[in-house]
Amino acid sequence: MLSVSEILTWRLCATVVPNSQSIVHPAGPAAAEIAWLWWIMLIAFTGVFLLVIVLLICGIFGRSGALDRSESGPNESKATWRPWGSNGFIVAGGIVLPVLILTPLYFYSLTTSAGLRMPEEALRIRVAGHMWWWEVRYPGSEVVLANEIYIPVGRPVRLELTSTDVIHSFWVPRLNGKRDMIPGVENSFWIQADEAGIYRGQCGEYCGTQHANMAFEVIALRSEDFNAWMISQTEKTDESEVLAADRGLQVFLSVGCVQCHSIEGTQAAGNAGPDLTHLGSRRMIGGALLPNTRGNLSGWILDPQAIKPGIKMPRTYLDADDLQALVLYLETLQ
Amino acid sequence: MSESPESLDQSLALRKEAFNQTWNEPTGLFGQLATVDNFLIGMRFLVTSFSFFLVAGVFALLMRVQLARAENDFLGPEVYNRLFTMHGTVMMYLFAIPFQEGLAAMLLPWMLGARDLAYPRLTAFSYWIFLFSGLIFFSGFLFDAVADIGWFAYTPLSSPAFAGKGIDFWVVGLGAAEVAGVAAGAELTISILRLRAPGMSLDRMPLYAWAWLVTAVMIVFAFTTLFMATLLLELDHDLGTRFFNDQKGGNHLLWQQLFWFFGHPEVYIIFLPATGVVSVIVCTFSRRIIGYTWIVVAIVVTGFLSFGLWVHHMYTTGLPELSLYFFAGASLMIAIASGVQIFSWIASLWRQRPRLLTPLLFVLGFVFIFVLGGLTGVMVAVVPFDWQVHDTYFLVAHFHYVLIGGAVFPMLAGVYYWLPKFCGRMPSERLGQWSFWLTFVGFNVCFFPMHILGLLGMPRRVYTYPASLGLESLNLVATIGAFVLAAGFLLFVFNVLHAARFGREAAANPWGGDTLEWTLPSPPGFILYPRIPFVSGRHPLWEQETPPIAGESSRRITELLDHRPEHWRATILVDVLTGQPQALVRLAIPSHMPLLAASGVVLVTVATIAKLFLLVPVGVLISVAAIIVWLWPDRKELELQRTSTLPAETGLPIFTIGSRSLGWLGMCVLMAVLGWCVGTLLYTYFYLQLYSKEWPQGDLPMPEPIQAALVFGFVPCAAVACCAAWRGMSRTRRSPGLIGLAAGCFLLVLFLTMHMQLLNRLRFSPQTNAYGSVFFLLNWAMDMVVVIGLGLAASAVIRLWKEGEHWQMFLKLHVQMATHYCYFAAAVAVVIYATLYVSPFVF
């Protein structure tokens, strides 16, 4: 059965695109509460708007009263409109109407707000904003991700938000509103997904050149899948695979990648850029900008400035063989 | 003694000629630079700010082209970010407010029946500063140093660590623009309160003046706050202070608090004058205004509440939820004030069958758009909903509905409405209707889809968006709408220029307006109201001459002052409430000093940008010297005033003191501004303390209250000395006043030297941490306050020393001002001392 909000949503925009950041297509309890608030306000305020416009049009085009323009001098300006009547009109429209609408709205928003309080029991995830990518850590484990957050379905997730440089804002529209990430401050926030799926998020506070491409994905897995994923992340990489891609690792270590990036189990321990320990398993690269294909990864390594101009990662000069070896190696980092 | 009619006529003609000569403005290019005429300067404001508007509009079009397609590469991120920064900055600081100020500078003296604004030279100064600040902003393009930090310049993006060189042009240009704004605010406040036609009591004032009265006061406080915020940011850049450095005890939310304390009133500063225009036009077209008192109350309430809303720009920063709901409540309450105004206008128009001419069409368009924008404004004031749509295109849609609908439409309506007054010619009605419909349709096509874009999750300030988000078609529609809107604006410009040149000649009162400006010739020229009108009702032009009852003496005064005084500029100062004439006040004549003073300020700003800090004192000196020359009384004029027979004839004094003199009133505004600057710093101090684990930060020593008490004590002592001087003045002997003031000066100098030593002995500096920064800045603020007091008192001493037998007449005001200012300085000293040297022991 279609709910009211689904019907309205359908009217507003026919379908949810796969990457949707739509506020009116909520996929979690918090976002759903806010979406409800929106629909209620939309209906009430459309009514107010129409009322004002109808009054305005009636007032202008309505039949002129005893005060006909051709005859009346300006001195009769108070002739037909008794002060009490006009006062009543202004009080009714300007004070009573807004109070009648705004008071319940205010209290309704308070209850919405109460519904948005962070649940006590929650999975903790730390997210740090960087210009222009997201660092994701799972306290209690060594898992470090970049630009993607794995969460279990149906379980609230408590986010501890910080920033290492300028102010960013954490925002996954289908799961909850946004919360700023301010250097020197730790803000907490929460999200929860009702269904397994991928939810796109994006920085909500202007943070410099590449603010537009500071995106990420929340990947909601069913509980058992999430646990399996967690175990796979904490497993040590198989030595033999490392050996197979040995040449790639050598390239990685020699051309300067290690200045900024780290890969667990190697000497690479830079911390200015995203941790690449699990790069191979990422869906997207560049801050949810490009699908993680061999071609895109190669292009990114060679000339990131062409794809995301202004970022800190410089161009890398590699010959074809080295590049191939490097990409092959990076793909093994599951 | 009876004169023959001929000689009477002749003397009248001579008087008129002398009067016109006095009020004439200098001509020629060099002379034009000295003009202080409110119409000329107002027109310069309008033309300059509208040019800025067109340029910023082109920026917007470029941005819309970039966003028309997903993943477009028409503009890169650097260019796009600069464009949106400049678009917002120019529209907010260089167009919206200056345009309104220009309109007010022109219209208010006309409407209120005054011969000019209260401080004509300040009007000129304000314009020059505004012009130069605009040029500084734009000159960034020449040096490839354009800010890309957004019009709100959040730290740390705008801090030394992250901002490029464009920030200097932005901060410094903005600082200068704020000075212009504060000057205009001060000017308009006093003018509206004091310089009105006799009989125009507060409750007979046109609603436009009411709107501006509240706005002008808001400008003074809001712009002063912003000035201080930008000053702190600039000091972080140039002096290495730590206000916005989170590693050194600074606080990023401090910037947001200060910025939005200005930023939210700013919206109402733009909106309220526009409602004044709407009220005037509605009144004219419906031949009445219903709910005058309601509208006045709504304006005043809006002004007050607008200072209590700023946190609703900060809902997502993680502040305690309880405080958010306080601000949410205030935000909803302000909707009621707007509702009252809207319903008053509807009531006025109700069944009046007004003619739908261009000005009214724009007003109706305003109501349509503004109501929508107001309703989305209520939505975003609701905390949880704002968490979603904050910084999305929903917000972009909302505030363009409020600002373009709420301010630009009324501005255009106002230009159409007053164009016959400005140039004596009528705009084309057909073109006017076309320009309205293009603007109205274009606007809605452009901005309505943005609501939906926001709901679909499009953040603002993005130079691109992925095709997969499904935002492309709505963005394309918005871009098309933007070009239609631009066509509407261009047609408006064409219509205005065309009308000014070829328009049909306008009747004296083409729309049948009720306000005084329609009694003036069109264009009004330099000589306003040779005979100041007498007002006996709310709609002076609609009311028949009522038999004078209460106003007989006032009316006689206006008759006596017909074309007088002939040899110096003067207008009537009235009682704030009743509009009873109280004094004849002198108005300044043209001078180049405002331009020179503004040039000094520009030198300071340019030196700051170029990091040539040695030139800063030079600029300050030029400005101070120019201001001294500008204010120094003219001997000949003083003699004319002293020998004038007008006080005897009219009963209006010329040499007034206290609240009946423009000098004292102006000083009150200056004290309010300085007091507010100090207040902003005190807020900074306690805000930093609140968020610091230790205070003083970083193991700095506690301040030394006893030594400081000895130093700060000199300021109250100086106030006592000045008080004695002021008391002594009332007797006939000059020496008590002279001695008291000289002692006051001496004590202030003593304070300055001792204070400098006190600061020199400290073992930390403004660069140490945020505590050090705010500690030093508050101390310097104290010095600043004292230096101004010293200037006032020392100049009084010099004049008192040199003045001849009429010292009592000429100098009473000056001594009173110096004394009252010293009281103020003493109060500031006590507050600053208590904060810096006592409060750390208490809290």
Side-chain angles (χ1 to χ4, degrees):
Chain A
M1 203 188 85
L2 285 174
S3 72
V4 181
S5 88
E6 273 167 325
I7 295 169
L8 288 168
T9 310
W10 180 78
R11 291 228 170 263
L12 190 70
C13 43
T15 49
V16 191
V17 295
N19 250 342
S20 173
Q21 293 190 155
S22 170
I23 293 159
V24 287
H25 297 93
E33 288 268 1
I34 299 176
W36 261 114
L37 187 60
W38 152 250
W39 293 119
I40 288 169
M41 289 195 297
L42 178 66
I43 293 166
F45 289 2
T46 307
V48 174
F49 178 68
L50 292 178
L51 178 72
V52 173
I53 297 307
V54 166
L55 281 175
L56 188 67
I57 290 172
C58 288
I60 292 172
F61 296 106
R63 226 155 26 106
S64 148
L67 223 167
D68 190 76
R69 214 174 359 93
S70 54
E71 298 172 358
S72 71
N75 300 323
E76 300 171 47
S77 54
K78 284 175 194 162
T80 48
W81 200 288
R82 280 182 223 94
W84 175 244
S86 60
N87 273 345
F89 182 77
I90 295 169
V91 170
I95 297 179
V96 176
L97 178 73
V99 168
L100 282 182
I101 290 176
L102 296 179
T103 316
L105 175 65
Y106 186 68
F107 286 103
Y108 181 70
S109 74
L110 277 173
T111 59
T112 305
S113 212
L116 293 178
R117 294 255 160 72
M118 197 176 326
E120 300 277 320
E121 281 292 304
L123 174 74
R124 280 172 63 214
I125 300 179
R126 294 183 65 82
V127 184
H130 296 260
M131 288 163 106
W132 295 278
W133 59 281
W134 310 79
E135 177 189 338
V136 182
R137 287 175 186 273
Y138 291 74
S141 79
E142 285 169 12
V143 179
V144 186
L145 307 177
N147 304 323
E148 57 186 24
I149 306 175
Y150 281 81
I151 63 167
V153 163
R155 202 176 142 195
V157 176
R158 178 196 166 94
L159 300 161
E160 294 161 0
L161 305 172
T162 56
S163 167
T164 58
D165 35 50
V166 300
I167 300 177
H168 305 279
S169 193
F170 183 93
W171 186 37
V172 190
R174 297 191 62 197
L175 301 183
N176 201 346
K178 58 179 75 65
R179 188 57 46 95
D180 291 353
M181 310 164 88
I182 303 167
V185 175
E186 185 179 300
N187 270 338
S188 54
F189 197 51
W190 71 287
I191 51 174
Q192 181 178 333
D194 289 334
E195 281 170 44
I198 296 168
Y199 305 101
R200 192 174 193 271
Q202 184 164 4
C203 178
E205 179 63 66
Y206 176 67
C207 56
T209 316
Q210 277 297 344
H211 166 61
N213 284 319
M214 184 171 164
F216 63 102
E217 288 182 333
V218 171
I219 298 158
L221 300 175
R222 277 182 310 237
S223 192
E224 56 273 23
D225 295 342
F226 178 78
N227 292 336
W229 170 82
M230 193 51 132
I231 290 164
S232 77
Q233 292 289 295
T234 40
E235 273 174 357
K236 295 287 173 205
T237 322
D238 191 346
E239 284 298 318
S240 61
E241 277 180 43
V242 173
L243 287 175
D246 194 34
R247 167 130 192 256
L249 176 59
Q250 291 313 314
V251 175
F252 185 84
L253 295 175
S254 60
V255 296
C257 307
V258 290
Q259 302 289 327
C260 302
H261 295 287
S262 59
I263 298 175
E264 207 190 289
T266 73
Q267 298 143 307
N271 57 10
D275 183 297
L276 301 180
T277 311
H278 301 288
L279 180 65
S281 68
R282 290 215 191 120
R283 273 178 32 86
M284 308 284 278
I285 57 170
L289 186 57
L290 297 171
N292 188 4
T293 63
R294 192 170 293 181
N296 282 339
L297 189 56
S298 310
W300 177 266
I301 293 168
L302 287 180
D303 194 1
Q305 295 295 335
I307 302 165
K308 203 168 166 180
I311 62 167
K312 288 180 187 141
M313 181 165 166
R315 302 174 68 152
T316 312
Y317 298 94
L318 287 173
D319 63 35
D321 289 349
D322 283 351
L323 178 66
Q324 197 177 13
L326 178 60
V327 170
L328 281 174
Y329 164 67
L330 291 174
E331 281 181 345
T332 64
L333 299 171
Q334 296 288 327
Chain B
M1 192 174 74
S2 67
E3 288 176 78
S4 68
E6 268 171 43
S7 73
L8 204 68
D9 275 358
Q10 209 176 8
S11 80
L12 187 68
L14 276 175
R15 195 168 87 197
K16 280 187 179 169
E17 204 188 311
F19 180 86
N20 292 351
Q21 193 60 41
T22 304
W23 281 91
N24 244 331
E25 293 285 317
T27 50
L29 186 64
F30 189 66
Q32 290 262 315
L33 296 178
T35 192
V36 293
D37 178 64
N38 71 310
F39 179 50
L40 269 186
I41 295 173
M43 191 51 89
R44 287 176 190 173
F45 261 114
L46 291 196
V47 171
T48 313
S49 60
F50 202 82
S51 314
F52 290 147
F53 169 76
L54 293 178
V55 175
V58 171
F59 293 169
L61 288 181
L62 291 172
M63 292 192 287
R64 280 317 317 170
V65 172
Q66 162 69 13
L67 292 177
R69 288 174 45 207
E71 295 161 35
N72 199 357
D73 53 6
F74 173 67
L75 304 172
E78 281 93 357
V79 176
Y80 185 92
N81 293 345
R82 289 171 168 200
L83 287 185
F84 86 68
T85 300
M86 288 303 277
H87 171 76
T89 308
V90 172
M91 286 296 189
M92 294 301 267
Y93 303 119
L94 297 185
F95 162 63
I97 292 180
F99 191 90
Q100 308 265 32
E101 282 168 356
L103 207 56
M106 275 196 229
L107 290 175
L108 282 174
W110 302 350
M111 270 189 184
L112 298 175
R115 285 176 179 162
D116 204 333
L117 290 168
Y119 311 102
R121 291 183 182 174
L122 195 63
T123 327
F125 176 74
S126 175
Y127 172 74
W128 294 120
I129 292 267
F130 157 66
L131 174 69
F132 292 141
S133 73
L135 296 179
I136 291 168
F137 262 122
F138 281 105
S139 65
F141 282 103
L142 299 177
F143 302 95
D144 192 29
V146 184
D148 57 356
I149 48 171
W151 82 283
F152 49 94
Y154 274 8
T155 64
L157 197 59
S158 57
S159 298
F162 296 98
K165 50 187 169 164
I167 179 78
D168 283 315
F169 287 85
W170 189 89
V171 176
V172 170
L174 184 56
E178 290 143 12
V179 173
V182 174
E187 158 101 287
L188 295 172
T189 311
I190 305 294
S191 302
I192 297 168
L193 284 177
R194 283 308 212 171
L195 301 191
R196 302 197 297 261
M200 190 185 278
S201 51
L202 264 192
D203 63 336
R204 288 175 183 167
M205 232 164 50
L207 287 167
Y208 183 72
W210 263 111
W212 256 107
L213 176 59
V214 174
T215 308
V217 175
M218 289 169 68
I219 286 181
V220 169
F221 293 110
F223 272 51
T224 305
T225 313
L226 180 65
F227 179 79
M228 291 311 286
T230 46
L231 179 71
L232 300 187
L233 185 57
E234 189 58 31
L235 288 176
D236 264 17
H237 277 269
D238 285 336
L239 203 69
T241 54
R242 311 291 187 183
F243 292 105
F244 307 115
N245 183 332
D246 58 281
Q247 309 288 319
K248 296 274 189 181
N251 194 312
H252 299 304
L253 285 184
L254 173 65
W255 170 264
Q256 297 191 18
Q257 300 273 10
L258 292 177
F259 183 82
W260 289 118
F261 187 84
F262 146 80
H264 200 82
E266 155 95 350
V267 177
Y268 290 93
I269 287 169
I270 294 171
F271 169 66
L272 281 182
T275 68
V277 173
V278 170
S279 291
V280 168
I281 294 176
V282 165
C283 182
T284 297
F285 278 81
S286 56
R287 319 292 292 159
R288 61 180 183 179
I289 192 82
I290 300 278
Y292 177 95
T293 316
W294 285 105
I295 294 179
V296 169
V297 171
I299 291 171
V300 175
V301 167
T302 306
F304 271 106
L305 282 182
S306 71
F307 281 95
L309 308 178
W310 78 94
V311 170
H312 79 204
H313 298 263
M314 300 170 62
Y315 282 165
T316 62
T317 54
L319 292 172
E321 220 169 273
L322 192 67
S323 67
L324 301 187
Y325 272 90
F326 170 79
F327 288 97
S331 307
L332 298 187
M333 258 146 59
I334 209 162
I336 297 174
S338 298
V340 166
Q341 289 215 59
I342 299 267
F343 276 86
S344 298
W345 295 322
I346 293 179
S348 304
L349 289 166
W350 191 258
R351 303 216 163 151
Q352 292 298 298
R353 286 281 183 116
R355 292 175 67 201
L356 289 176
L357 298 175
T358 316
L360 187 64
L361 270 184
F362 272 98
V363 164
L364 297 180
F366 149 81
V367 174
F368 181 94
I369 295 173
F370 176 72
V371 169
L372 249 177
L375 290 171
T376 53
V378 173
M379 290 181 179
V380 300
V382 171
V383 178
F385 184 63
D386 183 72
W387 285 344
Q388 278 287 21
V389 295
H390 177 73
D391 274 350
T392 66
Y393 263 80
F394 191 88
L395 251 290
V396 177
H398 155 67
F399 69 74
H400 281 93
Y401 265 76
V402 171
L403 290 173
I404 296 187
V408 177
F409 269 64
M411 285 182 203
L412 300 190
V415 171
Y416 273 120
Y417 179 79
W418 279 294
L419 194 66
K421 180 66 16 202
F422 297 160
C423 61
R425 292 173 187 278
M426 295 297 283
S428 151
E429 188 55 33
R430 209 158 60 97
L431 286 181
Q433 303 256 349
W434 268 98
S435 75
F436 167 73
W437 286 109
L438 275 178
T439 320
F440 184 74
V441 172
F443 172 82
N444 283 293
V445 172
C446 178
F447 290 103
F448 194 81
M450 291 187 187
H451 292 110
I452 304 171
L453 283 170
L455 293 174
L456 293 179
M458 181 167 172
R460 18 177 341 194
R461 301 169 185 140
V462 291
Y463 76 98
T464 189
Y465 53 94
S468 60
L469 289 188
L471 306 171
E472 200 163 26
S473 44
L474 285 172
N475 267 304
L476 184 61
V477 171
T479 302
I480 293 168
F483 278 91
V484 178
L485 180 61
F489 285 137
L490 282 184
L491 194 60
F492 162 81
V493 174
F494 175 77
N495 195 4
V496 167
L497 294 180
H498 186 264
R501 192 71 199 270
F502 307 106
R504 183 163 54 81
E505 208 151 297
N509 188 356
W511 317 107
D514 64 328
T515 35
L516 287 173
E517 75 270 23
W518 299 109
T519 61
L520 291 167
S522 310
F526 303 130
I527 302 134
L528 298 183
Y529 300 116
R531 174 149 173 201
I532 293 175
F534 173 76
V535 174
S536 58
R538 225 170 247 173
H539 311 283
L541 269 63
W542 289 352
E543 272 131 16
Q544 283 164 347
E545 286 286 306
T546 45
I549 309 158
E552 184 50 41
S553 64
S554 302
R555 189 189 297 270
R556 232 180 64 79
I557 287 172
T558 62
E559 279 162 18
L560 283 168
L561 285 174
D562 187 14
H563 284 93
R564 294 171 79 190
E566 307 94 300
H567 298 293
W568 46 287
R569 295 186 176 190
T571 194
I572 296 177
L573 179 139
V574 298
D575 180 65
V576 173
L577 283 177
T578 61
Q580 282 290 323
Q582 286 186 328
L584 196 60
V585 288
R586 169 200 161 269
L587 296 178
I589 53 168
S591 158
H592 284 97
M593 287 309 126
L595 177 59
L596 193 63
S599 311
V601 175
V602 172
L603 186 61
V604 172
T605 56
V606 172
T608 315
I609 293 174
K611 311 290 175 207
L612 299 169
F613 294 110
L614 284 177
L615 285 180
V616 171
V618 179
V620 172
L621 272 181
I622 292 176
S623 286
V624 169
I627 289 172
I628 289 173
V629 176
W630 151 2
L631 292 176
W632 205 266
D634 180 14
R635 275 239 64 94
K636 265 187 266 166
E637 223 179 62
L638 281 179
E639 277 310 309
L640 283 171
Q641 288 163 12
R642 190 180 64 77
T643 53
S644 170
T645 56
L646 284 173
E649 290 175 52
T650 61
L652 294 183
I654 293 175
F655 294 100
T656 47
I657 58 167
S659 65
R660 293 185 180 191
S661 68
L662 290 180
W664 188 88
L665 291 168
M667 193 193 62
C668 283
V669 180
L670 176 72
M671 292 194 298
V673 169
L674 289 174
W676 199 259
C677 288
V678 171
T680 310
L681 290 178
L682 294 176
Y683 177 86
T684 303
Y685 181 90
F686 288 113
Y687 193 86
L688 290 171
Q689 183 178 20
L690 187 66
Y691 287 94
S692 297
K693 286 190 200 74
E694 41 175 10
W695 196 259
Q697 293 168 338
D699 297 328
L700 292 186
M702 287 297 259
E704 293 164 350
I706 296 171
Q707 284 176 331
L710 294 176
V711 177
F712 276 73
F714 286 123
V715 185
C717 291
V720 171
C722 288
C723 177
W726 171 237
R727 293 275 165 91
M729 277 289 285
S730 53
R731 293 186 216 105
T732 42
R733 283 185 311 139
R734 198 188 320 195
S735 46
L738 206 52
I739 293 168
L741 280 174
C745 288
F746 176 72
L747 286 166
L748 291 181
V749 172
L750 213 55
F751 166 80
L752 287 174
T753 43
M754 302 279 281
H755 190 221
M756 208 176 286
Q757 284 187 353
L758 190 73
L759 290 184
N760 276 343
R761 290 213 336 256
L762 291 175
R763 269 167 297 162
F764 60 94
S765 71
Q767 291 88 3
T768 310
N769 55 28
Y771 169 80
S773 306
V774 74
F775 184 89
F776 272 87
L777 201 56
L778 264 169
N779 274 301
W780 292 336
M782 188 66 238
D783 291 342
M784 186 72 208
V785 168
V786 167
V787 165
I788 294 174
L790 188 59
L792 264 173
S795 56
V797 171
I798 295 171
R799 283 186 68 199
L800 208 53
W801 182 263
K802 290 177 65 178
E803 197 54 66
E805 52 184 324
H806 307 295
W807 58 272
Q808 259 203 321
M809 198 180 257
F810 295 163
L811 280 166
K812 211 161 185 185
L813 177 63
H814 196 149
V815 176
Q816 187 194 31
M817 282 168 63
T819 311
H820 286 186
Y821 185 88
C822 281
Y823 296 165
F824 163 78
V828 171
V830 170
V831 172
I832 289 184
Y833 168 77
T835 304
L836 290 182
Y837 297 95
V838 181
S839 81
F841 296 96
V842 182
F843 305 121

